Amino acid sequence: MKNVLTIAGSDSSGGAGIQADLKTFSAHGVFGMSVITAVTAQNTQGVFAVQDIDPDIIAKQIDAIFDDISVDAVKIGMVSQIPTIKIIAEKLREYAPEKLVVDPVMVSKSGYHLLNPDAELTLIQELLPLATVVTPNIPEAEVMSHRSIHTLEEMKDAAKAIFQMGAKNVLLKGGHLENDSTDILFTGKEFIPFSSARINTKNTHGTGCTLSSAIASNLARGMSIEQAIAQAKEYITIAIEHSLAIGKGVGPTHHFYSLYQKAGLLND
């Protein structure tokens, strides 16, 4: 079994963050491990408070994993402060995991800033050069590339700009486009589109966390970047199609739908 580490924040409602990452790892047949960077008080209606973990404790969590267990891939999610980003980058340079997925979590769906604006440049400078792939959505890509994005061509231009920041691959997610939900992978040599039908549901809490964790799982299992993304897209599409109307707001995706179906635990 491959071992995959998530470095991210905790979501008390279980739909995003560390909890979504570990569910996704399990659904992909890899062993999930976690380094918690922050504890959030959140539910389907929003994020209400964040307490960042001390950078020294973050470092010790990373040391504890790498000193004992072989790590086949790492996914980075919420890293809200400059000291947090710097200690993670320092430790990743020390341990040099071969496969690293960076999901630049900046703002929650409810509008809460999960990455302090003064830390945006630090994330770009410290983590992107280490990344096998970075997975921004359109609002995140707009912040990173300092440009507006409304079309596929503008997505390509932004992907090129982000690629220049050091990541080996850029997957720019198109879910925020009005008429298209195509994601674009830029490898530095070519653009590869990944299209899927837009699903009419409000229950999309944790989709970014889930997709990036699925990509990390697939990379750990030995897939190419293109294959890892393609299969991760299939997985998240099913998870969104069968999302869960839990809570009063934006519900979570169904991380285990296919497994439950095979086990005969579903009625449909």
Side-chain angles (χ1 to χ4, degrees), residues 5 7 33 35 56-74 86-100 130:
L5 171 65
I7 303 175
M33 305 167 291
V35 168
D56 184 59
I57 296 298
I58 293 173
K60 285 182 168 57
Q61 290 180 79
I62 295 173
D63 287 335
I65 297 298
F66 280 93
D67 286 347
D68 182 45
I69 301 170
S70 173
V71 178
D72 297 294
V74 177
K86 287 189 171 181
I87 194 63
I88 291 170
E90 176 186 323
K91 287 297 177 181
L92 291 178
R93 286 192 291 267
E94 176 183 347
Y95 293 112
E98 183 180 347
K99 295 159 184 174
L100 174 62
L130 305 176

Side-chain angles (χ1 to χ4, degrees), residues 11 13-29 75 203-214 217 232 234-244 246 251-261 266:
D11 170 10
S13 69
I18 288 284
Q19 288 82 350
D21 298 340
L22 292 175
K23 291 173 185 177
T24 303
F25 295 160
S26 295
H28 283 76
K75 171 263 172 81
N203 299 319
T204 57
H205 184 52
T207 50
C209 306
T210 299
L211 178 66
S212 57
S213 294
S217 300
E234 290 180 14
Y235 170 75
I236 190 64
T237 298
I238 292 171
I240 295 171
E241 282 177 342
H242 303 281
S243 59
L244 303 169
I246 291 173
T253 66
H254 197 325
H255 294 90
F256 297 115
Y257 179 82
S258 295
L259 293 176
Y260 287 7
Q261 187 179 47
L266 301 173

